[in-house]
Amino acid sequence: MDAIKNSLAAIYGEKFKEEHYLRLSENMNNARREINVSRKRGWDESDVVLITYADQFSSPGESRLATFKRFFDNYLRSTFSHVHLLPFYPWSSDDGFSVIDYHQVDPINGDWDDVARLGESARLMFDFVCNHMSAKSEWFRNYLHQKPGYEDFFIAVDPSTDLSAVTRPRALPLLTPFTLADGQVRHLWTTFSDDQIDLNFASPEVLLAMVDVLLHYLKEGAQYVRLDAVGFMWKTPGTCCIHLEKTHLLVKLFRAIVDYVAPGTVIITETNVPHKDNISYLGNGHDEAQMVYQFPLPPLVLHAIHTRSARTLCDWANSLDASGGDTTWFNFLASHDGIGLNPLRGILPEAEILALVEDLQAEGARVNWKNNPDGSRSPYEVNVTYMDALNTRGCSDSTRLSRFLLAHAILLSFPGVPAVYIQSILGSRNDEEGVKRLGYNRAINRQKYTEAEIAQALNSSGNLRHETWRQLSHLINVRRDHAAFHPDSEFRAELLSEQLFVIVRRALNGEEIKAIFNLGNTAQTVLLTEGWRRELISDAVINAPEITLNPWQAMWLSKA
């Protein structure tokens, strides 16, 4: 409670009055009494997250979440400990990230009982879309109608204000004009689109309303909470309006609230920015987020496999500050968004980033661009399935799968909690029809399925979907069985050659695993020191002084 009071004082000063604090305290204490889902403290090697939409699968006559739970139980429950449900609330755009009502489940997905039933099969991760909400929401309608209590819910700015320093994630206008009930025109802050109106956290009423949302999610079983677009939460014209001090204070406040109400809840910040800014959300290691998305990992693994050189990936891996204790990484290769390029800046020369983008575009990937203050533009995101990002159109399915499994073996070897996107475990290719039908680039990696069609593919041996699901599930389950892959286990990376990359993990109990990755298109032989007795992925006994890795192959070696 001291941390909560200190954060409130630092953010609001005297604006946060005693009546505000009494309301906040009452809501927190009520939530604390209501919560009956125990949370796991910390993390271990068994924690692996599935990222998915709630409406990913459909079946006639039932809610999407009911269908998803059955599919998950049949095909994925033995592989994943957690399910990250992307926004499943009523929405108006951006595939859920323009939320109409934070407190409801979109009727097509079901209701809170459906969410609770899924929570019986896996621990749940919810999105807290805290920066903005839908222009179709009741809150925004109340603002436009000038209903008392909503006067300061959104951010009105004089359009003549100099906002040139503001960091822009989109090549779209920052301010959008709206007309109030009395005919006034106000220009409101819209960081992402004219349907996503930024909330005004400078208002204590907005804070109380959004904390109420957070408390609701905790009561409904959220054990991991993802803070979406969190870096933009506080606005001060004349600054960059990203990663401001009061944004960090808000994250610290959210952390203190969940620690008080539901100890063990994990706060994860989503900040697709360079590494130094990203890890700043870990605070002092105890007072802010417990996890940050490891955004450089997806493009660096992709770059390594494209160039058949692990040098940059290895150098970057060894530069990471050690995670462990109260913080760790949230590692992933693919997600509902594209592959972010901004985290590469400062790690790779711009010419190499542009070369990678050109290679991907030539094979069908889409690219999103951002405007720079000097009037130029830069690519900030590539939209593509990770399967197709790793390969060319002319590759055989066996090559596709080899490169794909290699990339995921690297992912699963890194310290941190790994997350796998639903399209990845399903072996999905680019959804060109989806892009044409829906009209936006990110649709290329957001295909939805009937339960019948995807079950048929997974149950039919020999096709790319079946083999991807079978072999990636096996890889994940091998990882979950070994303490050396605990997020906090010792980690080091080294190069045996340009194409041979090694990660060594060592657990507190002494278990050691050497992961070797061949990023080349030719077989590579590696001499072994004594003691390496088993290759874990194939469960093969090692009885020779050397091993040979096929092109695009990974091996996990154990002394046990």
Side-chain angles (χ1 to χ4, degrees):
M1 294 301 292
D2 286 343
I4 291 169
K5 290 178 181 178
N6 291 339
S7 293
L8 289 170
I11 297 168
Y12 296 104
E14 294 182 358
K15 283 180 64 177
F16 204 86
K17 302 184 184 305
E18 183 66 18
E19 65 187 68
H20 295 131
Y21 184 73
L22 291 174
R23 285 163 57 191
L24 177 63
S25 298
E26 182 180 8
N27 291 341
M28 288 192 302
N29 286 318
N30 288 340
R32 192 181 191 188
R33 284 190 293 268
E34 289 180 42
I35 289 171
N36 54 21
V37 176
S38 62
R39 270 109 171 123
K40 177 178 180 177
R41 301 299 182 96
W43 37 74
D44 59 38
E45 64 277 7
S46 70
D47 294 322
V48 182
V49 180
L50 175 71
I51 306 169
T52 185
Y53 285 100
D55 64 346
Q56 188 61 57
F57 307 113
S58 60
S59 186
E62 69 179 356
S63 69
R64 299 290 195 266
L65 277 166
T67 303
F68 179 82
K69 182 184 186 306
R70 181 172 57 247
F71 181 88
F72 180 82
D73 287 346
N74 288 338
Y75 296 96
L76 302 171
R77 184 173 181 174
S78 63
T79 303
F80 295 96
S81 60
H82 292 66
V83 173
H84 172 198
L85 286 176
L86 293 161
F88 50 87
Y89 328 111
W91 57 281
S92 57
S93 63
D94 199 16
D95 277 347
F97 284 90
S98 184
V99 179
I100 292 174
D101 188 339
Y102 291 110
H103 292 284
Q104 299 297 322
V105 177
D106 191 329
I108 196 171
N109 294 327
D111 55 28
W112 286 111
D113 287 339
D114 288 303
V115 175
R117 281 187 283 271
L118 180 60
E120 296 169 0
S121 296
R123 298 184 184 93
L124 298 179
M125 174 173 167
F126 291 4
D127 269 280
F128 184 29
V129 187
C130 49
N131 179 72
H132 51 263
M133 72 181 310
S134 170
K136 312 298 189 301
S137 65
E138 183 179 3
W139 291 5
F140 190 61
R141 187 163 57 249
N142 290 342
Y143 175 85
L144 294 179
H145 291 171
Q146 296 173 290
K147 185 175 179 178
Y150 289 87
E151 300 90 347
D152 296 323
F153 259 56
F154 304 95
I155 306 166
V157 181
D158 184 332
S160 66
T161 304
D162 182 4
L163 299 174
S164 59
V166 175
T167 297
R168 301 293 295 118
R170 299 282 186 275
L172 294 169
L174 179 61
L175 302 180
T176 302
F178 291 93
T179 303
L180 305 186
D182 66 1
Q184 293 182 62
V185 175
R186 289 192 182 167
H187 290 77
L188 300 182
W189 204 292
T190 51
T191 297
F192 292 94
S193 79
D194 59 8
D195 187 49
Q196 293 166 296
I197 319 299
D198 286 49
L199 288 152
N200 180 23
F201 276 93
S203 164
E205 291 297 330
V206 168
L207 177 77
L208 290 172
M210 292 304 285
V211 168
D212 193 40
V213 173
L214 177 59
L215 296 175
H216 185 189
Y217 293 169
L218 299 179
K219 289 188 286 187
E220 297 291 355
Q223 301 194 39
Y224 283 11
V225 178
R226 176 185 184 266
L227 304 186
D228 174 66
V230 65
F232 298 95
M233 272 201 302
W234 196 274
K235 282 80 174 176
T236 302
T239 73
C240 61
C241 295
I242 188 171
H243 316 313
L244 298 185
E245 180 185 3
K246 289 195 175 181
T247 291
H248 284 281
L249 287 170
L250 284 168
V251 178
K252 290 178 181 181
L253 176 61
F254 295 154
R255 166 69 183 272
I257 288 170
V258 300
D259 281 353
Y260 176 75
V261 172
T265 303
V266 173
I267 295 287
I268 305 171
T269 50
E270 185 259 341
T271 50
N272 190 354
V273 294
H275 182 70
K276 181 180 178 181
D277 295 321
N278 190 28
I279 63 172
S280 70
Y281 287 87
L282 297 174
N284 66 12
H286 308 282
D287 65 344
E288 211 164 331
Q290 290 100 326
M291 296 186 199
V292 296
Y293 275 71
Q294 187 65 282
F295 276 106
L297 190 60
L300 282 175
V301 170
L302 187 59
H303 173 265
I305 293 177
H306 266 250
T307 60
R308 298 198 292 274
S309 170
R311 186 167 299 279
T312 301
L313 176 62
C314 184
D315 289 345
W316 168 79
N318 282 320
S319 74
L320 293 177
D321 298 326
S323 63
D326 290 342
T327 65
T328 194
W329 313 109
F330 190 81
N331 295 325
F332 71 109
L333 294 179
S335 75
H336 63 290
D337 288 340
I339 299 168
L341 301 174
N342 286 344
L344 285 181
R345 294 185 164 99
I347 300 174
L348 276 179
E350 191 68 18
E352 289 193 46
I353 296 173
L354 293 174
L356 179 63
V357 169
E358 289 172 7
D359 287 348
L360 293 168
Q361 273 189 304
E363 296 297 332
R366 308 303 203 272
V367 179
N368 290 327
W369 302 79
K370 69 180 181 74
N371 291 332
N372 300 318
D374 63 2
S376 64
R377 67 174 194 158
S378 302
Y380 75 86
E381 181 183 87
V382 179
N383 300 120
V384 61
T385 65
Y386 214 78
M387 179 73 77
D388 280 339
L390 290 164
N391 294 285
T392 66
R393 290 187 178 103
C395 287
S396 66
D397 279 355
S398 62
T399 296
R400 282 192 182 92
L401 184 56
S402 294
R403 288 175 174 163
F404 184 83
L405 292 172
L406 170 68
H408 282 81
I410 295 172
L411 165 73
L412 295 168
S413 301
F414 262 77
V417 173
V420 176
Y421 185 41
I422 187 71
Q423 304 292 352
S424 294
I425 195 72
L426 297 178
S428 298
R429 306 285 307 280
N430 287 342
D431 183 14
E432 302 286 355
E433 282 301 314
V435 176
K436 292 176 185 176
R437 184 177 69 256
L438 297 171
Y440 54 89
N441 289 346
R442 286 178 171 177
I444 202 167
N445 194 25
R446 296 181 177 180
Q447 188 173 0
K448 307 294 172 64
Y449 310 94
T450 67
E451 182 186 26
E453 70 176 317
I454 202 67
Q456 180 180 15
L458 298 189
N459 290 331
S460 303
S461 61
N463 66 76
L464 184 61
R465 285 198 188 278
H466 171 87
E467 287 303 313
T468 302
W469 164 67
R470 183 181 68 82
Q471 294 191 48
L472 181 52
S473 296
H474 169 71
L475 195 63
I476 293 169
N477 281 305
V478 171
R479 181 208 191 265
R480 295 182 72 191
D481 282 342
H482 292 278
F485 289 124
H486 189 292
D488 300 343
S489 292
E490 290 179 20
F491 165 85
R492 75 173 188 272
E494 59 187 71
L495 287 180
L496 298 182
S497 69
E498 201 73 17
Q499 298 179 347
L500 284 172
F501 176 47
V502 174
I503 288 175
V504 178
R505 303 295 308 279
R506 183 179 177 84
L508 289 175
N509 68 5
E511 182 189 35
E512 187 172 359
I513 289 175
K514 176 179 282 192
I516 306 179
F517 311 98
N518 179 11
L519 279 65
N521 57 1
T522 58
Q524 301 285 327
T525 298
V526 178
L527 294 175
L528 297 178
T529 56
E530 292 184 8
W532 299 104
R533 299 181 178 183
R534 184 171 294 276
E535 199 288 305
L536 298 176
I537 300 172
S538 63
D539 196 30
V541 174
I542 298 172
N543 53 18
E546 62 184 28
I547 55 171
T548 298
L549 289 87
N550 292 324
W552 322 113
Q553 186 177 6
M555 289 187 177
W556 288 341
L557 308 184
S558 171
K559 293 181 177 179

